[in-house]
Amino acid sequence: QKEVEQNSGPLSVPEGAIASLNCTYSDRGSQSFFWYRQYSGKSPELIMFIYSNGDKEDGRFTAQLNKASQYVSLLIRDSQPSDSATYLCAVGGYNNNDMRFGAGTRLTVKP
Amino acid sequence: SQTIHQWPATLVQPVGSPLSLECTVEGTSNPNLYWYRQAAGRGLQLLFYSVGIGQISSEVPQNLSASRPQDRQFILSSKKLLLSDSGFYLCAANRGLISMDEQYFGPGTRLTVT
């Protein structure tokens, strides 16, 4: 069984701080890694994807991947109250139908 | 960019009644299509995926079925709903010819079985 694990939270950070969200996965053959944001009652929206070891930055968001440790993280700099949501980690193989989602981490950014 | 439509947005159905949820995709040809279910406070469970018209793969045994009558149309059905079928149903799509492609989601249907 291919597992994707996330701390359910809630993770609470003050406005302007860095939020760090973590995800581990069990399948060493995983090739693609995604972070989605899901507001309460809404569908997930894609924030970032990463395929190679290292860091990938997009605005206030940085995805970090360490395949040897089977670990992927998302950093949110200068956190805003509008970042308060559940963040889903998704891990996929080479095939498009092989994506597995974690249960999500709920983030609260306090003004 | 692709746009995914789902309807209805919300649905309340009694146990034992039939179900039909529809998903349509705009902006991409030959997409891979997916049905997920999300129970309250839980992650996404993949129910079905399709790589082409009439091609459906089921991930979990259940009383649900899926069909893909047209390239950009995906339907989720049940003949008799169970209480455990309640949840948030999400249709997703990605580009069929691109490996490891990101999935995009429709707005979802919130189903309550009473």
Side-chain angles (χ1 to χ4, degrees), chain A residues 11-110:
Chain A
L11 173 66
S12 182
V13 300
E15 184 175 355
I18 296 175
S20 178
L21 305 163
N22 304 315
C23 173
T24 58
Y25 58 95
S26 63
D27 181 12
R28 282 198 170 274
S30 299
Q31 301 283 337
S32 52
F33 307 86
F34 307 86
W35 283 100
Y36 288 82
R37 177 176 61 199
Q38 186 175 24
Y39 292 114
S40 180
K42 302 296 185 181
S43 62
E45 55 180 322
L46 181 70
I47 298 175
M48 292 189 70
F49 58 86
I50 185 168
Y51 299 144
S52 303
N53 277 328
D55 295 359
K56 180 181 179 182
E57 186 175 319
D58 184 0
R60 295 186 297 112
F61 299 97
T62 299
Q64 299 175 317
L65 175 62
N66 184 326
K67 289 186 177 180
S69 300
Q70 295 174 240
Y71 176 92
V72 58
S73 65
L74 179 70
L75 301 178
I76 306 175
R77 291 182 301 281
D78 188 24
S79 295
Q80 301 296 310
S82 59
D83 294 326
S84 297
T86 296
Y87 289 81
L88 303 175
C89 171
V91 177
Y94 184 78
N95 296 318
N96 280 326
N97 60 313
D98 201 23
M99 186 181 290
R100 296 293 181 261
F101 286 81
T105 298
R106 186 158 60 92
L107 171 67
T108 300
V109 181
K110 296 185 176 180

Side-chain angles (χ1 to χ4, degrees), chain B residues 38-106:
Chain B
Q38 186 177 36
R42 305 288 295 275
L44 299 178
Q45 179 187 29
L46 178 63
L47 302 175
F48 300 94
Y49 68 89
S50 171
V51 299
I53 295 174
Q55 301 180 61
I56 309 294
S57 296
S58 174
E59 286 290 301
V60 292
Q62 58 213 334
N63 68 320
L64 299 172
S65 62
S67 62
R68 185 170 177 174
Q70 300 181 46
D71 181 47
R72 302 177 194 180
Q73 184 184 28
F74 205 21
I75 297 172
L76 182 69
S77 304
S78 175
K79 293 182 179 178
K80 289 185 177 182
L81 284 169
L82 306 173
L83 284 174
S84 57
D85 291 324
S86 293
F88 192 36
Y89 287 80
L90 292 157
C91 178
N94 60 8
R95 292 169 292 182
L97 298 179
I98 309 294
S99 296
M100 304 189 292
D101 197 32
E102 60 269 25
Q103 293 182 17
Y104 292 91
F105 289 85

Side-chain angles (χ1 to χ4, degrees), chain B residues 16-36:
Chain B
S17 64
L19 174 73
S20 181
L21 304 181
E22 188 163 346
C23 168
T24 58
V25 180
E26 295 177 359
T28 185
S29 298
N30 308 117
N32 289 337
L33 298 175
Y34 307 82
W35 278 113
Y36 289 90

